[in-house]
C-alpha cells in the first residue's frame, strides 16, 4: 500500500509517519517543501494541474493531509488551510480518484462549546478565529469533494515533540528555561478555559486507522480525549512533572487563536464506532512524554502542524 503523507515533517505528520512505517507492506511517501521530501508539494502555491501530475506519478492508494498553518496571519491561514485542501481534492479527482483522503481538521471549527456538553460531529460550526474558519473551509471542501474522504477533527494535541506555537510546547519551553530556580516566575495569560487534550500518538493512530479502514467512512470524525480539562490544571501538572519550584502568574488575555472559546470538549463516540479507536494515553502519560522529549539535549526542534518552513 502506497501512502502519501503531506506535512510529514510537522508535529502531527511526524508521528503519523512513525506509525505508518511500523505497518507491514506499507510504502510511505513524504510530500512537502522540506529538502527531505520525496515529492515537492506546497499546497499553498502549487497549481492543480502540476499537483495532479505529481500525484499520477506517485500513484498513492491513500493520502493523509497533515499540512496546515496553526500560527500565522489570516492570509497564510487561507492559503494553507483553505486553498490547500481544495487544490488537493481537485488534483486527486483528476489523478487518483480512488485514493482515500484523510484530512486533519481541528476542533476549533466548532467554536464556543456549551459547558458540560460534548460536541458531536453534527453540531453547528461557529468558529471565532481565522484559524478555525479556514480549517472549516478545508473540511467542507473535503467532505463535499465526492472522494473517498474523511476529516478527523482533532482536539488539542499534546505529547512528545509539541511545538512552541501551542500551549503545551510553549509551557515546556518556559519550564526548561526556568529550571529549578525557586525564584523563577512563569508569566502566562488567562488559564481558566477548558480544553479537550488528546495525545499526539493517539491522533496518529486514528489517522492510520482511518487510512486503512475498509469501506466508506463518515465525512467527519472527532478525535479527542473526550474530557474537558482546565488549562490551568494542565499547566500545573506539567510544572509538577518538571519539578518546577517557582511561581506561575496569570496576567493578560489568552492567545488569539483560542480566544473567545472558554469550553471545548468533543464527543468521540463516532470514532469508536467507525474505527474502533479510543484514546490510549492519559494526560499524565502525555505530559511525561512531552517533558522527557523537551529535556533531551539532542531532540529535534519540532515544527508546527504542517511543513511551512523548508
Amino acid at each position: 500500500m502506497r501512502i502519501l503523507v503531506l506535512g510529514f515533517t510537522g508535529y502531527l505528520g511526524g508521528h503519523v509517519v512513525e506509525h505508518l512505517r511500523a505497518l507491514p507492506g506499507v510504502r510511505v511517501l513524504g510530500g512537502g517543501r522540506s529538502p527531505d521530501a520525496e515529492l515537492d508539494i506546497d499546497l499553498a502555491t502549487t497549481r492543480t494541474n502540476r499537483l495532479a501530475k505529481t500525484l499520477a506519478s506517485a500513484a498513492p492508494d491513500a493520502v493523509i493531509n497533515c499540512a496546515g498553518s496553526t500560527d500565522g496571519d489570516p492570509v497564510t491561514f487561507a492559503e494553507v488551510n483553505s486553498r490547500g485542501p481544495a487544490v488537493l481534492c481537485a488534483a486527486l479527482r483528476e489523478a487518483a480518484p480512488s485514493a482515500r483522503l484523510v484530512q486533519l481538521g481541528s476542533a476549533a471549527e466548532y467554536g464556543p462549546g456549551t459547558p458540560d456538553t460534548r460536541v458531536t460531529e453534527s453540531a453547528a460550526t461557529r468558529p471565532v478565529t481565522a484559524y478555525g474558519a479556514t480549517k472549516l473551509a478545508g473540511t467542507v471542501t473535503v467532505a463535499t469533494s465526492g472522494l473517498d474522504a474523511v476529516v478527523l477533527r482533532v482536539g488539542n494535541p499534546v505529547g512528545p515533540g509539541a511545538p512552541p506555537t501551542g500551549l503545551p510546547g510553549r509551557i515546556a519551553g518556559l519550564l526548561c528555561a526556568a529550571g529549578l530556580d525557586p525564584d523563577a516566575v512563569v508569566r502566562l495569560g488567562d488559564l481558566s478555559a477548558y480544553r479537550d487534550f488528546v495525545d499526539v500518538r493517539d491522533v496518529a493512530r486514528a489517522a492510520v486507522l482511518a487510512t486503512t479502514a475498509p469501506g466508506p467512512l463518515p465525512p467527519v470524525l472527532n478525535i479527542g480525549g473526550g474530557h474537558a480539562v482546565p488549562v490551568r490544571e494542565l499547566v500545573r501538572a506539567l510544572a509538577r512533572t518538571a519539578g518546577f519550584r517557582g511561581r506561575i502568574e496569570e496576567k493578560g488575555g489568552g492567545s488569539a487563536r483560542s480566544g473567545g472559546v472558554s469550553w471545548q470538549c468533543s464527543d468521540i463516540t463516532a470514532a469508536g464506532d467507525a474505527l474502533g479507536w479510543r484514546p490510549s494515553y492519559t494526560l499524565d502519560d502525555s505530559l511525561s512524554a512531552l517533558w522527557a522529549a523537551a529535556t533531551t539535549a539532542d531532540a529535534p526542534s519540532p515544527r508546527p502542524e504542517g511543513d511551512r518552513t523548508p
Side-chain angles (χ1 to χ4, degrees):
M1 186 177 190
R2 296 169 62 84
I3 302 177
L4 170 61
V5 181
L6 301 175
F8 76 107
T9 59
Y11 177 39
L12 299 182
H15 283 278
V16 168
V17 167
E18 183 178 347
H19 277 65
L20 286 172
R21 285 180 173 160
L23 298 179
V26 169
R27 169 81 161 88
V28 180
L29 305 170
R33 299 173 65 227
S34 166
D36 297 328
E38 295 178 67
L39 301 175
D40 181 15
I41 297 174
D42 183 356
L43 294 180
T45 61
T46 191
R47 293 183 177 276
T48 301
N49 58 353
R50 179 184 173 186
L51 180 56
K53 291 179 181 178
T54 301
L55 293 175
S57 66
D61 298 297
V63 177
I64 305 177
N65 185 21
C66 303
S69 178
T70 60
D71 184 43
D73 59 88
V75 173
T76 301
F77 288 151
E79 289 173 343
V80 182
N81 301 338
S82 301
R83 180 187 187 277
V87 171
L88 177 58
C89 287
L92 279 172
R93 282 194 296 267
E94 180 178 338
S98 63
R100 170 161 293 175
L101 172 59
V102 177
Q103 167 81 13
L104 297 192
S106 171
E109 298 169 32
Y110 289 118
T114 301
D116 301 319
T117 302
R118 294 183 176 92
V119 64
T120 66
E121 291 84 352
S122 61
T125 47
R126 299 171 296 145
V128 296
T129 63
Y131 169 75
T134 54
K135 290 296 286 186
L136 176 59
T139 289
V140 172
T141 297
V142 172
T144 60
S145 66
L147 297 166
D148 177 10
V150 59
V151 177
L152 305 183
R153 273 194 178 135
V154 179
N156 291 259
V158 60
T165 52
L167 180 68
R170 183 163 66 91
I171 299 301
L174 292 172
L175 293 174
C176 280
L180 299 178
D181 181 1
D183 297 321
V185 179
V186 172
R187 293 180 174 86
L188 303 169
D190 179 24
L191 301 176
S192 62
Y194 286 70
R195 290 291 181 269
D196 187 338
F197 294 100
V198 57
D199 194 286
V200 64
R201 295 163 292 184
D202 280 328
V203 175
R205 184 166 53 87
V208 172
L209 288 171
T211 304
T212 57
L217 293 170
V220 177
L221 291 171
N222 288 335
I223 302 297
H227 302 282
V229 177
V231 174
R232 186 177 293 116
E233 181 179 312
L234 174 135
V235 172
R236 290 175 176 172
L238 187 53
R240 289 194 299 270
T241 300
F244 179 65
R245 299 165 58 194
R247 187 171 75 256
I248 296 173
E249 291 184 355
E250 297 180 41
K251 292 185 177 181
S255 71
R257 179 180 159 194
S258 60
V261 179
S262 60
W263 174 279
Q264 184 264 315
C265 186
S266 296
D267 187 321
I268 57 175
T269 303
D273 293 340
L275 304 176
W277 177 90
R278 293 284 301 176
S280 60
Y281 294 95
T282 67
L283 183 57
D284 285 341
D285 294 334
S286 302
L287 296 178
S288 295
L290 166 59
W291 183 247
T295 52
T296 300
D298 59 351
S301 177
R303 294 180 182 174
E305 183 179 339
D307 63 338
R308 299 297 305 139
T309 303

mmCIF file of all heavy atoms in Angstrom, residues 1-5 20 24-29 39 54-65 88 92 95-102 147-150 207-208 210-215 217:
data_model
loop_
_atom_site.group_PDB
_atom_site.id
_atom_site.type_symbol
_atom_site.label_atom_id
_atom_site.label_comp_id
_atom_site.label_asym_id
_atom_site.label_seq_id
_atom_site.Cartn_x
_atom_site.Cartn_y
_atom_site.Cartn_z
ATOM 1 N N MET A 1 0.852 -1.193 0.000
ATOM 2 C CA MET A 1 0.000 0.000 0.000
ATOM 3 C C MET A 1 0.889 1.246 0.000
ATOM 4 O O MET A 1 1.797 1.369 0.829
ATOM 5 C CB MET A 1 -0.925 -0.003 1.225
ATOM 6 C CG MET A 1 -1.949 1.115 1.245
ATOM 7 S SD MET A 1 -3.057 0.985 2.671
ATOM 8 C CE MET A 1 -4.272 2.213 2.235
ATOM 9 N N ARG A 2 0.624 2.162 -0.906
ATOM 10 C CA ARG A 2 1.403 3.395 -1.019
ATOM 11 C C ARG A 2 0.610 4.534 -0.389
ATOM 12 O O ARG A 2 -0.518 4.834 -0.821
ATOM 13 C CB ARG A 2 1.696 3.699 -2.490
ATOM 14 C CG ARG A 2 2.564 2.642 -3.163
ATOM 15 C CD ARG A 2 2.624 2.830 -4.670
ATOM 16 N NE ARG A 2 3.219 4.091 -5.053
ATOM 17 C CZ ARG A 2 4.537 4.307 -5.164
ATOM 18 N NH1 ARG A 2 5.390 3.335 -4.881
ATOM 19 N NH2 ARG A 2 5.006 5.477 -5.545
ATOM 20 N N ILE A 3 1.194 5.143 0.643
ATOM 21 C CA ILE A 3 0.504 6.197 1.387
ATOM 22 C C ILE A 3 1.341 7.468 1.352
ATOM 23 O O ILE A 3 2.496 7.480 1.782
ATOM 24 C CB ILE A 3 0.240 5.780 2.843
ATOM 25 C CG1 ILE A 3 -0.593 4.496 2.886
ATOM 26 C CG2 ILE A 3 -0.477 6.903 3.597
ATOM 27 C CD1 ILE A 3 -0.835 3.963 4.285
ATOM 28 N N LEU A 4 0.762 8.525 0.814
ATOM 29 C CA LEU A 4 1.416 9.824 0.748
ATOM 30 C C LEU A 4 1.012 10.642 1.969
ATOM 31 O O LEU A 4 -0.179 10.814 2.243
ATOM 32 C CB LEU A 4 1.005 10.552 -0.532
ATOM 33 C CG LEU A 4 1.406 12.026 -0.658
ATOM 34 C CD1 LEU A 4 2.911 12.198 -0.619
ATOM 35 C CD2 LEU A 4 0.808 12.624 -1.934
ATOM 36 N N VAL A 5 1.998 11.149 2.703
ATOM 37 C CA VAL A 5 1.746 11.985 3.872
ATOM 38 C C VAL A 5 2.234 13.395 3.565
ATOM 39 O O VAL A 5 3.433 13.625 3.367
ATOM 40 C CB VAL A 5 2.462 11.440 5.129
ATOM 41 C CG1 VAL A 5 2.157 12.340 6.336
ATOM 42 C CG2 VAL A 5 2.027 10.005 5.412
ATOM 43 N N LEU A 20 2.887 4.695 10.544
ATOM 44 C CA LEU A 20 2.727 4.024 9.256
ATOM 45 C C LEU A 20 3.897 3.091 8.959
ATOM 46 O O LEU A 20 3.710 1.993 8.415
ATOM 47 C CB LEU A 20 2.600 5.048 8.139
ATOM 48 C CG LEU A 20 1.274 5.805 8.025
ATOM 49 C CD1 LEU A 20 1.392 6.901 6.988
ATOM 50 C CD2 LEU A 20 0.132 4.862 7.682
ATOM 51 N N PRO A 24 3.365 -3.540 8.135
ATOM 52 C CA PRO A 24 3.953 -4.328 7.050
ATOM 53 C C PRO A 24 3.288 -3.996 5.715
ATOM 54 O O PRO A 24 2.082 -3.743 5.652
ATOM 55 C CB PRO A 24 3.668 -5.772 7.470
ATOM 56 C CG PRO A 24 2.459 -5.681 8.358
ATOM 57 C CD PRO A 24 2.578 -4.375 9.082
ATOM 58 N N GLY A 25 4.079 -3.991 4.673
ATOM 59 C CA GLY A 25 3.540 -3.806 3.339
ATOM 60 C C GLY A 25 3.149 -2.385 3.002
ATOM 61 O O GLY A 25 2.459 -2.153 2.000
ATOM 62 N N VAL A 26 3.575 -1.409 3.810
ATOM 63 C CA VAL A 26 3.221 -0.014 3.559
ATOM 64 C C VAL A 26 4.445 0.746 3.071
ATOM 65 O O VAL A 26 5.526 0.671 3.659
ATOM 66 C CB VAL A 26 2.675 0.665 4.832
ATOM 67 C CG1 VAL A 26 2.562 2.166 4.633
ATOM 68 C CG2 VAL A 26 1.311 0.083 5.182
ATOM 69 N N ARG A 27 4.289 1.464 1.992
ATOM 70 C CA ARG A 27 5.334 2.337 1.450
ATOM 71 C C ARG A 27 4.911 3.772 1.714
ATOM 72 O O ARG A 27 3.879 4.226 1.220
ATOM 73 C CB ARG A 27 5.492 2.095 -0.050
ATOM 74 C CG ARG A 27 6.357 3.125 -0.773
ATOM 75 C CD ARG A 27 7.834 2.844 -0.603
ATOM 76 N NE ARG A 27 8.620 3.523 -1.606
ATOM 77 C CZ ARG A 27 9.091 4.783 -1.493
ATOM 78 N NH1 ARG A 27 8.839 5.481 -0.383
ATOM 79 N NH2 ARG A 27 9.806 5.324 -2.461
ATOM 80 N N VAL A 28 5.674 4.474 2.556
ATOM 81 C CA VAL A 28 5.336 5.840 2.940
ATOM 82 C C VAL A 28 6.067 6.817 2.032
ATOM 83 O O VAL A 28 7.284 6.743 1.861
ATOM 84 C CB VAL A 28 5.702 6.116 4.407
ATOM 85 C CG1 VAL A 28 5.346 7.558 4.778
ATOM 86 C CG2 VAL A 28 4.980 5.143 5.334
ATOM 87 N N LEU A 29 5.311 7.747 1.450
ATOM 88 C CA LEU A 29 5.865 8.805 0.620
ATOM 89 C C LEU A 29 5.684 10.133 1.350
ATOM 90 O O LEU A 29 4.569 10.460 1.771
ATOM 91 C CB LEU A 29 5.169 8.868 -0.739
ATOM 92 C CG LEU A 29 5.148 7.579 -1.558
ATOM 93 C CD1 LEU A 29 4.218 7.734 -2.747
ATOM 94 C CD2 LEU A 29 6.548 7.217 -2.013
ATOM 95 N N LEU A 39 8.456 14.027 -2.567
ATOM 96 C CA LEU A 39 7.636 14.750 -3.532
ATOM 97 C C LEU A 39 7.562 16.210 -3.120
ATOM 98 O O LEU A 39 7.150 16.531 -2.001
ATOM 99 C CB LEU A 39 6.225 14.150 -3.595
ATOM 100 C CG LEU A 39 6.144 12.666 -3.980
ATOM 101 C CD1 LEU A 39 4.715 12.184 -3.892
ATOM 102 C CD2 LEU A 39 6.693 12.453 -5.381
ATOM 103 N N THR A 54 2.036 15.214 -10.323
ATOM 104 C CA THR A 54 2.835 14.638 -9.246
ATOM 105 C C THR A 54 2.116 13.443 -8.622
ATOM 106 O O THR A 54 2.727 12.394 -8.368
ATOM 107 C CB THR A 54 3.118 15.691 -8.159
ATOM 108 O OG1 THR A 54 3.816 16.798 -8.735
ATOM 109 C CG2 THR A 54 3.954 15.105 -7.034
ATOM 110 N N LEU A 55 0.826 13.592 -8.399
ATOM 111 C CA LEU A 55 0.048 12.506 -7.803
ATOM 112 C C LEU A 55 -0.045 11.312 -8.756
ATOM 113 O O LEU A 55 0.002 10.156 -8.324
ATOM 114 C CB LEU A 55 -1.345 12.997 -7.430
ATOM 115 C CG LEU A 55 -1.419 14.028 -6.294
ATOM 116 C CD1 LEU A 55 -2.848 14.512 -6.114
ATOM 117 C CD2 LEU A 55 -0.888 13.445 -4.995
ATOM 118 N N ALA A 56 -0.191 11.590 -10.022
ATOM 119 C CA ALA A 56 -0.266 10.498 -11.005
ATOM 120 C C ALA A 56 1.020 9.678 -11.010
ATOM 121 O O ALA A 56 0.992 8.448 -11.099
ATOM 122 C CB ALA A 56 -0.555 11.060 -12.389
ATOM 123 N N SER A 57 2.164 10.353 -10.901
ATOM 124 C CA SER A 57 3.439 9.628 -10.890
ATOM 125 C C SER A 57 3.647 8.871 -9.583
ATOM 126 O O SER A 57 4.257 7.802 -9.568
ATOM 127 C CB SER A 57 4.595 10.616 -11.115
ATOM 128 O OG SER A 57 4.704 11.526 -10.031
ATOM 129 N N ALA A 58 3.108 9.403 -8.475
ATOM 130 C CA ALA A 58 3.266 8.739 -7.170
ATOM 131 C C ALA A 58 2.297 7.579 -7.009
ATOM 132 O O ALA A 58 2.585 6.626 -6.285
ATOM 133 C CB ALA A 58 3.064 9.746 -6.049
ATOM 134 N N ALA A 59 1.144 7.648 -7.653
ATOM 135 C CA ALA A 59 0.120 6.607 -7.609
ATOM 136 C C ALA A 59 -0.193 6.155 -6.187
ATOM 137 O O ALA A 59 -0.113 4.971 -5.862
ATOM 138 C CB ALA A 59 0.548 5.409 -8.456
ATOM 139 N N PRO A 60 -0.593 7.084 -5.298
ATOM 140 C CA PRO A 60 -0.875 6.682 -3.923
ATOM 141 C C PRO A 60 -2.209 5.950 -3.799
ATOM 142 O O PRO A 60 -3.167 6.233 -4.527
ATOM 143 C CB PRO A 60 -0.931 8.019 -3.187
ATOM 144 C CG PRO A 60 -1.439 8.978 -4.222
ATOM 145 C CD PRO A 60 -0.819 8.523 -5.510
ATOM 146 N N ASP A 61 -2.252 4.993 -2.884
ATOM 147 C CA ASP A 61 -3.518 4.352 -2.539
ATOM 148 C C ASP A 61 -4.287 5.194 -1.531
ATOM 149 O O ASP A 61 -5.507 5.063 -1.393
ATOM 150 C CB ASP A 61 -3.260 2.962 -1.942
ATOM 151 C CG ASP A 61 -2.577 2.040 -2.927
ATOM 152 O OD1 ASP A 61 -3.183 1.745 -3.961
ATOM 153 O OD2 ASP A 61 -1.419 1.629 -2.663
ATOM 154 N N ALA A 62 -3.557 6.039 -0.806
ATOM 155 C CA ALA A 62 -4.180 6.908 0.183
ATOM 156 C C ALA A 62 -3.298 8.135 0.387
ATOM 157 O O ALA A 62 -2.078 8.095 0.168
ATOM 158 C CB ALA A 62 -4.371 6.178 1.508
ATOM 159 N N VAL A 63 -3.931 9.231 0.798
ATOM 160 C CA VAL A 63 -3.223 10.474 1.105
ATOM 161 C C VAL A 63 -3.683 10.941 2.474
ATOM 162 O O VAL A 63 -4.889 11.006 2.750
ATOM 163 C CB VAL A 63 -3.513 11.569 0.059
ATOM 164 C CG1 VAL A 63 -2.812 12.873 0.445
ATOM 165 C CG2 VAL A 63 -3.078 11.122 -1.328
ATOM 166 N N ILE A 64 -2.726 11.258 3.334
ATOM 167 C CA ILE A 64 -3.035 11.845 4.642
ATOM 168 C C ILE A 64 -2.517 13.273 4.629
ATOM 169 O O ILE A 64 -1.311 13.499 4.507
ATOM 170 C CB ILE A 64 -2.385 11.061 5.793
ATOM 171 C CG1 ILE A 64 -2.772 9.589 5.732
ATOM 172 C CG2 ILE A 64 -2.797 11.661 7.140
ATOM 173 C CD1 ILE A 64 -2.097 8.726 6.805
ATOM 174 N N ASN A 65 -3.411 14.234 4.751
ATOM 175 C CA ASN A 65 -3.006 15.632 4.700
ATOM 176 C C ASN A 65 -2.846 16.185 6.112
ATOM 177 O O ASN A 65 -3.816 16.552 6.769
ATOM 178 C CB ASN A 65 -4.014 16.474 3.922
ATOM 179 C CG ASN A 65 -3.539 17.912 3.761
ATOM 180 O OD1 ASN A 65 -2.348 18.204 3.874
ATOM 181 N ND2 ASN A 65 -4.466 18.818 3.513
ATOM 182 N N LEU A 88 -5.835 20.045 -3.422
ATOM 183 C CA LEU A 88 -5.573 18.615 -3.263
ATOM 184 C C LEU A 88 -6.755 17.783 -3.755
ATOM 185 O O LEU A 88 -6.569 16.789 -4.476
ATOM 186 C CB LEU A 88 -5.283 18.313 -1.798
ATOM 187 C CG LEU A 88 -5.053 16.849 -1.431
ATOM 188 C CD1 LEU A 88 -3.885 16.254 -2.213
ATOM 189 C CD2 LEU A 88 -4.807 16.711 0.077
ATOM 190 N N LEU A 92 -6.651 15.181 -6.846
ATOM 191 C CA LEU A 92 -6.955 13.771 -6.621
ATOM 192 C C LEU A 92 -8.073 13.292 -7.539
ATOM 193 O O LEU A 92 -8.018 12.170 -8.064
ATOM 194 C CB LEU A 92 -7.346 13.540 -5.159
ATOM 195 C CG LEU A 92 -6.204 13.423 -4.152
ATOM 196 C CD1 LEU A 92 -6.747 13.404 -2.725
ATOM 197 C CD2 LEU A 92 -5.379 12.168 -4.417
ATOM 198 N N ALA A 95 -6.212 12.739 -10.847
ATOM 199 C CA ALA A 95 -5.074 11.821 -10.968
ATOM 200 C C ALA A 95 -5.213 10.523 -10.199
ATOM 201 O O ALA A 95 -4.651 9.497 -10.600
ATOM 202 C CB ALA A 95 -3.792 12.529 -10.512
ATOM 203 N N ALA A 96 -5.942 10.542 -9.088
ATOM 204 C CA ALA A 96 -6.055 9.332 -8.254
ATOM 205 C C ALA A 96 -7.419 9.313 -7.576
ATOM 206 O O ALA A 96 -7.524 9.377 -6.354
ATOM 207 C CB ALA A 96 -4.933 9.296 -7.214
ATOM 208 N N PRO A 97 -8.499 9.217 -8.367
ATOM 209 C CA PRO A 97 -9.851 9.359 -7.811
ATOM 210 C C PRO A 97 -10.257 8.262 -6.836
ATOM 211 O O PRO A 97 -11.198 8.444 -6.072
ATOM 212 C CB PRO A 97 -10.740 9.347 -9.064
ATOM 213 C CG PRO A 97 -9.931 8.626 -10.096
ATOM 214 C CD PRO A 97 -8.506 9.002 -9.825
ATOM 215 N N SER A 98 -9.576 7.123 -6.862
ATOM 216 C CA SER A 98 -9.943 6.039 -5.953
ATOM 217 C C SER A 98 -9.144 6.061 -4.658
ATOM 218 O O SER A 98 -9.400 5.251 -3.751
ATOM 219 C CB SER A 98 -9.740 4.681 -6.646
ATOM 220 O OG SER A 98 -8.373 4.485 -6.969
ATOM 221 N N ALA A 99 -8.186 6.972 -4.534
ATOM 222 C CA ALA A 99 -7.363 7.041 -3.323
ATOM 223 C C ALA A 99 -8.186 7.581 -2.155
ATOM 224 O O ALA A 99 -9.017 8.472 -2.324
ATOM 225 C CB ALA A 99 -6.143 7.930 -3.553
ATOM 226 N N ARG A 100 -7.958 7.026 -0.993
ATOM 227 C CA ARG A 100 -8.626 7.562 0.202
ATOM 228 C C ARG A 100 -7.875 8.798 0.678
ATOM 229 O O ARG A 100 -6.648 8.826 0.724
ATOM 230 C CB ARG A 100 -8.673 6.539 1.330
ATOM 231 C CG ARG A 100 -9.142 7.149 2.668
ATOM 232 C CD ARG A 100 -9.617 6.127 3.654
ATOM 233 N NE ARG A 100 -10.847 5.495 3.176
ATOM 234 C CZ ARG A 100 -11.429 4.472 3.808
ATOM 235 N NH1 ARG A 100 -10.881 3.969 4.905
ATOM 236 N NH2 ARG A 100 -12.538 3.953 3.341
ATOM 237 N N LEU A 101 -8.626 9.815 1.057
ATOM 238 C CA LEU A 101 -8.051 11.045 1.594
ATOM 239 C C LEU A 101 -8.435 11.178 3.062
ATOM 240 O O LEU A 101 -9.616 11.142 3.409
ATOM 241 C CB LEU A 101 -8.556 12.257 0.814
ATOM 242 C CG LEU A 101 -8.193 13.641 1.391
ATOM 243 C CD1 LEU A 101 -6.686 13.820 1.501
ATOM 244 C CD2 LEU A 101 -8.832 14.750 0.563
ATOM 245 N N VAL A 102 -7.429 11.331 3.916
ATOM 246 C CA VAL A 102 -7.644 11.595 5.335
ATOM 247 C C VAL A 102 -7.120 12.998 5.613
ATOM 248 O O VAL A 102 -5.921 13.261 5.479
ATOM 249 C CB VAL A 102 -6.927 10.566 6.230
ATOM 250 C CG1 VAL A 102 -7.113 10.918 7.709
ATOM 251 C CG2 VAL A 102 -7.440 9.162 5.949
ATOM 252 N N LEU A 147 -14.901 12.422 -3.104
ATOM 253 C CA LEU A 147 -13.835 11.440 -2.955
ATOM 254 C C LEU A 147 -14.124 10.498 -1.795
ATOM 255 O O LEU A 147 -15.025 10.741 -0.978
ATOM 256 C CB LEU A 147 -12.498 12.160 -2.714
ATOM 257 C CG LEU A 147 -11.987 13.064 -3.829
ATOM 258 C CD1 LEU A 147 -10.868 13.955 -3.303
ATOM 259 C CD2 LEU A 147 -11.508 12.231 -5.010
ATOM 260 N N ASP A 148 -13.356 9.427 -1.710
ATOM 261 C CA ASP A 148 -13.389 8.546 -0.541
ATOM 262 C C ASP A 148 -12.578 9.253 0.539
ATOM 263 O O ASP A 148 -11.373 9.060 0.657
ATOM 264 C CB ASP A 148 -12.769 7.192 -0.895
ATOM 265 C CG ASP A 148 -12.717 6.247 0.299
ATOM 266 O OD1 ASP A 148 -13.317 6.564 1.344
ATOM 267 O OD2 ASP A 148 -12.051 5.197 0.185
ATOM 268 N N ALA A 149 -13.242 10.118 1.301
ATOM 269 C CA ALA A 149 -12.520 11.031 2.184
ATOM 270 C C ALA A 149 -13.157 11.108 3.563
ATOM 271 O O ALA A 149 -14.366 10.917 3.724
ATOM 272 C CB ALA A 149 -12.471 12.430 1.569
ATOM 273 N N VAL A 150 -12.322 11.422 4.559
ATOM 274 C CA VAL A 150 -12.788 11.635 5.920
ATOM 275 C C VAL A 150 -11.930 12.730 6.535
ATOM 276 O O VAL A 150 -10.730 12.821 6.285
ATOM 277 C CB VAL A 150 -12.697 10.341 6.760
ATOM 278 C CG1 VAL A 150 -11.270 9.808 6.818
ATOM 279 C CG2 VAL A 150 -13.226 10.570 8.180
ATOM 280 N N ALA A 207 -5.348 8.438 12.565
ATOM 281 C CA ALA A 207 -5.121 8.710 11.145
ATOM 282 C C ALA A 207 -4.796 7.429 10.389
ATOM 283 O O ALA A 207 -5.270 7.220 9.266
ATOM 284 C CB ALA A 207 -3.998 9.725 10.979
ATOM 285 N N VAL A 208 -4.002 6.562 11.001
ATOM 286 C CA VAL A 208 -3.653 5.293 10.357
ATOM 287 C C VAL A 208 -4.879 4.403 10.231
ATOM 288 O O VAL A 208 -5.114 3.778 9.185
ATOM 289 C CB VAL A 208 -2.539 4.586 11.148
ATOM 290 C CG1 VAL A 208 -2.304 3.173 10.609
ATOM 291 C CG2 VAL A 208 -1.245 5.391 11.080
ATOM 292 N N ALA A 210 -7.973 5.366 10.052
ATOM 293 C CA ALA A 210 -8.855 5.946 9.042
ATOM 294 C C ALA A 210 -8.340 5.661 7.631
ATOM 295 O O ALA A 210 -9.127 5.509 6.693
ATOM 296 C CB ALA A 210 -8.975 7.454 9.260
ATOM 297 N N THR A 211 -7.041 5.589 7.494
ATOM 298 C CA THR A 211 -6.444 5.334 6.181
ATOM 299 C C THR A 211 -6.652 3.895 5.730
ATOM 300 O O THR A 211 -6.873 3.630 4.542
ATOM 301 C CB THR A 211 -4.935 5.646 6.224
ATOM 302 O OG1 THR A 211 -4.750 6.993 6.655
ATOM 303 C CG2 THR A 211 -4.288 5.453 4.862
ATOM 304 N N THR A 212 -6.594 2.981 6.660
ATOM 305 C CA THR A 212 -6.622 1.557 6.321
ATOM 306 C C THR A 212 -7.981 0.895 6.547
ATOM 307 O O THR A 212 -8.148 -0.282 6.221
ATOM 308 C CB THR A 212 -5.561 0.806 7.140
ATOM 309 O OG1 THR A 212 -5.801 1.014 8.545
ATOM 310 C CG2 THR A 212 -4.159 1.312 6.803
ATOM 311 N N ALA A 213 -8.949 1.609 7.093
ATOM 312 C CA ALA A 213 -10.266 1.019 7.364
ATOM 313 C C ALA A 213 -10.963 0.642 6.058
ATOM 314 O O ALA A 213 -10.945 1.409 5.088
ATOM 315 C CB ALA A 213 -11.133 2.000 8.148
ATOM 316 N N PRO A 214 -11.584 -0.522 6.006
ATOM 317 C CA PRO A 214 -12.302 -0.910 4.786
ATOM 318 C C PRO A 214 -13.615 -0.152 4.649
ATOM 319 O O PRO A 214 -14.234 0.236 5.640
ATOM 320 C CB PRO A 214 -12.555 -2.410 5.004
ATOM 321 C CG PRO A 214 -12.609 -2.558 6.493
ATOM 322 C CD PRO A 214 -11.642 -1.571 7.047
ATOM 323 N N GLY A 215 -14.025 0.062 3.426
ATOM 324 C CA GLY A 215 -15.327 0.668 3.179
ATOM 325 C C GLY A 215 -15.341 2.161 3.459
ATOM 326 O O GLY A 215 -14.385 2.723 3.996
ATOM 327 N N LEU A 217 -16.228 5.822 5.120
ATOM 328 C CA LEU A 217 -16.284 6.314 6.492
ATOM 329 C C LEU A 217 -17.190 7.534 6.561
ATOM 330 O O LEU A 217 -17.458 8.176 5.540
ATOM 331 C CB LEU A 217 -14.873 6.688 6.977
ATOM 332 C CG LEU A 217 -13.873 5.549 7.140
ATOM 333 C CD1 LEU A 217 -12.475 6.106 7.391
ATOM 334 C CD2 LEU A 217 -14.295 4.623 8.271
#
